[in-house]
């Protein structure tokens, strides 16, 4: 009896699946054949495999059970391919690894019981059956009772990209109990943890992205910890939901090691659960408002905390893409943004994290975009965002030819021009984010031969240079945008530094037919 040969269509389909897998599996493309074979045996259809390899969740609906079986298979096959690429097998253990800890042997930290002792060896890992989902997948594993540090140890091989245990841990923070799921891994020279919130696990598309990112992070640490050390190393990788509003779920991504247990910033994202994809914060909030007024308010809040802690205020504030941004509720139950700068982001490691709360007042709610207005409670809020709320902070320019610089700042929070040079200097040093226009050279030539200066601004999230309008006095324009700069009072000068001066200004800013007037302060110096 001869075994039936695979049909041409079957071979072609296998090749297509192999190509789809290799297009997205960057860490171990050699694992693809194993993944396809074992996933089919576990009951995952070819159409579902195409969708899972594309990681878009839309090509073919994938139920939770199939999704769990697929990921269990994928992690096992990646682990096997990783070991094979290193030439590691049960017959060829790593140098220096005790017999009872060799690949393929049960874990547990102790040597196997001697023969005849009556002690049975641990059971092997649960096999994946075609007739139903495995019970080892992180989203369906029976979790331990939610107590801090609880675990459910398995019996998987050292060095594989599959967890040796999956546990549920709880911790107290700000009077509330938080729960996370922790997958623990053991590699030859270090231990590794991947933790995530249940809400992330329950979202298949988001969890697929988290798992893929964790595998890449593991690979990076395997390269870093490729030699033994006197003290066993540990690395951790965490995905946390920062206030789940149903449709909108902000995610914080952080990492830590045994040398630096205080989490370090690795990234952040905002997930639209209904659309099944990552979105930008400017999809939720008006782009100009987000980069303008909301950023200035964050920076002012950060500087207030630095002042309270007695740390250096003569520093700028980090960009939003370096912050963990989430939703929280104030004492009245109103939704607000919570922006966290982890260690090294807004200060030294010793300063620790800085958390700034940003209320969603009527102005901010007025700038919430559809279809997220109902989610953020902005359905009944109306009102246009004024133009100066769309002006974002810019960095001052310095003219190397003349050795001079000229910048325009928003006035202090009290809305008044500083009464002295010392007060004005204190404002520009500690409120760098209030600088919204800086003088730069333009291509427009003066009749006497030099280039005229214009103003660089960031309006609606876009940097542009407003050029001088020939024949005008203090008017600058670029397309539909224009800015008129008008002196209100004489300049403040420091008798000891006559090259520096502050001028009280009125700014008339116009965008098409919309106009906004406000007071500001100019600093010029050479």
């Amino acid at each position: 009896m001869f075994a039936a040969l695979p049909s041409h269509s079957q071979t072609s389909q296998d090749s297509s699946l192999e190509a789809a897998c290799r297009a997205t599996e960057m860490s171990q493309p050699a694992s693809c054949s194993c993944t396809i074979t074992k996933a089919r045996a576990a009951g995952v259809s070819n159409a579902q495999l195409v969708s899972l390899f594309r990681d878009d969740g839309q090509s073919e609906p994938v139920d939770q059970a199939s999704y769990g079986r697929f990921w269990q298979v994928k992690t096992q096959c990646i682990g096997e391919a990783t070991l094979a690429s290193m030439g590691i097998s049960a017959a060829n253990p790593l140098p220096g690894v005790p017999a009872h800890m060799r690949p393929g042997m049960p874990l547990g930290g102790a040597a196997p019981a001697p023969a005849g002792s009556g002690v049975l060896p641990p059971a092997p890992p649960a096999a994946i059956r075609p007739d139903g989902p495995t019970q080892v997948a992180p989203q369906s594993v029976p979790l331990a009772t939610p107590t801090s540090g609880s675990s459910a140890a398995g019996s998987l091989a050292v060095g594989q990209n599959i967890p040796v245990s999956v546990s549920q841990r709880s911790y107290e923070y700000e009077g509330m109990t938080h729960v996370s799921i922790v997958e623990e891994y053991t590699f030859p020279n270090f231990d590794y943890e991947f933790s995530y919130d249940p809400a992330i696990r329950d979202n298949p598309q988001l969890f697929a992205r988290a798992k893929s990112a964790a595998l890449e992070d593991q690979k990076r640490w395997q390269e870093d910890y490729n030699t033994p050390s006197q003290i066993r190393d540990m690395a951790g990788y965490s995905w946390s939901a920062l206030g789940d509003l149903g449709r909108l779920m902000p995610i914080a991504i952080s990492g830590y090691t045994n040398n630096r247990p205080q989490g370090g910033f690795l990234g952040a994202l905002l997930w639209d659960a209904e659309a099944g994809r990552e979105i930008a914060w400017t999809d939720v909030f008006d782009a100009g408002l987000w980069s303008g007024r909301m950023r200035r308010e964050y920076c002012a809040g950060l500087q207030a905390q630095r002042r309270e802690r007695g740390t250096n205020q003569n520093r700028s504030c980090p960009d939003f893409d370096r912050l963990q941004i989430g939703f929280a509720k104030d004492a009245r139950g109103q939704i607000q943004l919570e922006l966290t700068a982890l260690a090294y982001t807004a200060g030294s490691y010793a300063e620790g994290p800085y958390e700034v709360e940003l209320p969603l007042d009527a102005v901010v709610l007025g700038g919430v975009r559809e279809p997220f207005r109902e989610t953020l409670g902005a359905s009944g809020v109306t009102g246009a965002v004024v133009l100066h709320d769309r002006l974002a902070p810019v960095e001052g320019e310095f003219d190397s030819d003349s050795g001079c610089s000229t910048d325009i700042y928003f006035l202090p929070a009290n809305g008044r021009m500083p009464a002295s040079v010392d007060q004005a200097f204190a404002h520009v040093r500690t409120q760098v984010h209030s600088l919204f226009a800086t003088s730069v050279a333009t291509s427009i030539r003066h009749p006497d031969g030099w280039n005229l200066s214009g103003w660089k601004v960031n309006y609606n999230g876009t940097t542009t240079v407003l050029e001088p309008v020939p024949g005008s006095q203090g008017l600058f324009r670029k397309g539909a945008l224009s800015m008129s700069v008008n002196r209100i009072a004489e300049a403040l000068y420091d008798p000891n530094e006559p090259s520096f001066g502050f001028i009280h200004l009125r700014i008339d800013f116009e965008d098409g037919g919309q106009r906004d007037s406000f007071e500001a302060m100019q600093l010029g110096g050479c």
Side-chain angles (χ1 to χ4, degrees), residues 408-425:
I408 303 179
Y409 294 79
F410 286 108
L411 292 180
N414 60 17
R416 295 194 295 269
M417 179 72 182
S420 68
V421 169
D422 287 343
Q423 290 180 9
F425 268 124

Side-chain angles (χ1 to χ4, degrees), residues 59 94 131 186 190 252 280 396 456 520:
S59 303
L94 295 174
D131 57 343
T186 298
F190 72 104
K456 184 179 78 173

Side-chain angles (χ1 to χ4, degrees), residues 286-294 296-297 361-368 382-392 410 436 458-461 481 507-511 513-519:
D286 176 272
L289 186 66
W290 179 255
S291 60
R293 181 181 190 263
M294 295 176 73
R296 292 199 305 272
E297 288 189 352
D361 59 19
V363 174
V364 175
L365 290 176
V368 176
T382 58
V385 179
V386 296
L387 300 188
H388 73 266
D389 281 342
R390 300 177 184 273
L391 286 168
F410 286 108
F436 68 88
N458 184 311
Y459 178 75
N460 268 349
L481 292 181
I507 303 296
D508 296 320
F509 202 88
E510 188 170 347
D511 179 7
Q514 189 177 358
R515 187 172 180 176
D516 186 14
S517 296
F518 56 95
E519 295 182 13

Side-chain angles (χ1 to χ4, degrees), residues 464-475:
T464 188
V465 174
L466 303 176
E467 299 177 336
V469 176
S472 69
Q473 184 66 33
L475 180 62

Side-chain angles (χ1 to χ4, degrees), residues 21 31-40 49 53 70 73-75 77-78:
C21 175
S31 67
C32 287
S33 179
C34 166
T35 301
I36 294 168
T37 301
K38 290 189 175 182
R40 281 172 170 165
L49 280 173
F53 287 145
F70 169 80
V73 163
K74 185 174 175 65
T75 51
C77 290
I78 288 175

Side-chain angles (χ1 to χ4, degrees), residues 136-470:
V136 182
Q139 59 269 40
S140 58
V141 65
L143 297 174
T145 303
T147 57
S148 180
S150 64
S151 80
S155 54
L156 304 174
V158 174
Q160 294 189 15
N161 296 79
I162 47 180
V164 296
S165 73
V166 181
S167 61
Q168 181 170 298
R169 298 179 184 175
S170 63
Y171 59 95
E172 296 292 326
Y173 180 69
E174 295 184 348
M176 298 180 63
T177 300
H178 299 261
V179 176
S180 64
I181 299 169
V182 181
E183 298 181 5
E184 297 180 77
Y185 300 76
T186 298
F187 294 94
N189 299 316
F190 72 104
D191 297 315
Y192 184 88
E193 290 184 349
F194 170 42
S195 62
Y196 46 87
D197 290 354
I200 295 174
R201 174 204 59 189
D202 295 339
N203 188 305
Q205 293 154 311
L206 179 58
F207 189 47
R209 180 163 175 176
K211 288 285 289 187
S212 178
L215 287 173
E216 289 300 314
D217 190 63
Q218 283 181 10
K219 181 181 178 182
R220 178 172 66 88
W221 285 114
Q222 288 180 66
E223 294 172 352
D224 287 352
Y225 292 146
N226 59 0
T227 57
S229 62
Q230 292 183 340
I231 300 176
R232 187 168 178 82
D233 290 302
M234 186 278 291
Y237 186 65
S238 173
W239 279 50
S240 304
L242 302 179
D244 182 5
L245 295 184
R247 176 165 188 170
L248 292 174
M249 185 189 299
I251 304 296
I253 306 169
S254 59
Y256 49 91
T257 67
N258 51 337
N259 296 322
R260 291 181 177 177
Q262 188 177 154
F265 176 82
L266 292 180
L269 60 90
L270 179 61
W271 190 260
D272 182 347
E274 189 168 314
R277 62 182 179 90
E278 178 185 358
I279 61 173
W281 283 99
T282 49
D283 291 326
V284 178
F285 296 100
D286 176 272
L289 186 66
W290 179 255
S291 60
R293 181 181 190 263
M294 295 176 73
R295 174 156 175 76
R296 292 199 305 272
E297 288 189 352
Y298 163 72
C299 293
L302 174 62
Q303 290 293 69
Q305 286 200 20
R306 286 170 171 166
R307 185 168 58 251
E308 292 173 2
R309 298 187 190 185
T311 57
N312 183 14
Q313 296 180 60
N314 297 338
R315 297 177 289 180
S316 60
C317 58
D319 294 335
F320 278 163
D321 60 8
R322 297 178 60 207
L323 303 178
Q324 294 181 345
I325 304 176
F327 296 114
K329 289 190 177 181
D330 61 19
R332 300 172 300 166
Q334 300 297 311
I335 298 173
Q336 62 183 7
L337 289 180
E338 191 170 77
L339 302 94
T340 303
L342 296 182
Y344 297 112
T345 303
S348 66
Y349 182 83
E351 291 177 53
Y354 284 91
E355 293 182 358
V356 176
E357 295 170 347
L358 199 63
L360 302 187
D361 59 19
V363 174
V364 175
L365 290 176
V368 176
R369 298 179 180 275
E370 291 290 0
F372 307 105
R373 293 184 62 81
E374 183 177 353
T375 302
L376 292 176
S379 297
V381 181
T382 58
V385 179
V386 296
L387 300 188
H388 73 266
D389 281 342
R390 300 177 184 273
L391 286 168
V394 297
E395 290 189 11
E397 297 277 350
F398 184 78
D399 187 338
S400 57
D401 292 333
S402 65
C404 301
S405 64
T406 307
D407 302 315
I408 303 179
Y409 294 79
F410 286 108
L411 292 180
N414 60 17
R416 295 194 295 269
M417 179 72 182
S420 68
V421 169
D422 287 343
Q423 290 180 9
F425 268 124
H427 175 64
V428 301
R429 280 196 301 266
T430 62
Q431 307 295 316
V432 181
H433 53 274
S434 63
L435 193 166
F436 68 88
T438 186
S439 178
V440 295
T442 69
S443 59
I444 299 178
R445 305 284 290 181
H446 188 275
D448 291 338
W450 67 82
N451 288 54
L452 296 176
S453 295
W455 294 103
K456 184 179 78 173
V457 298
N458 184 311
Y459 178 75
N460 268 349
T462 302
T463 299
T464 188
V465 174
L466 303 176
E467 299 177 336
V469 176

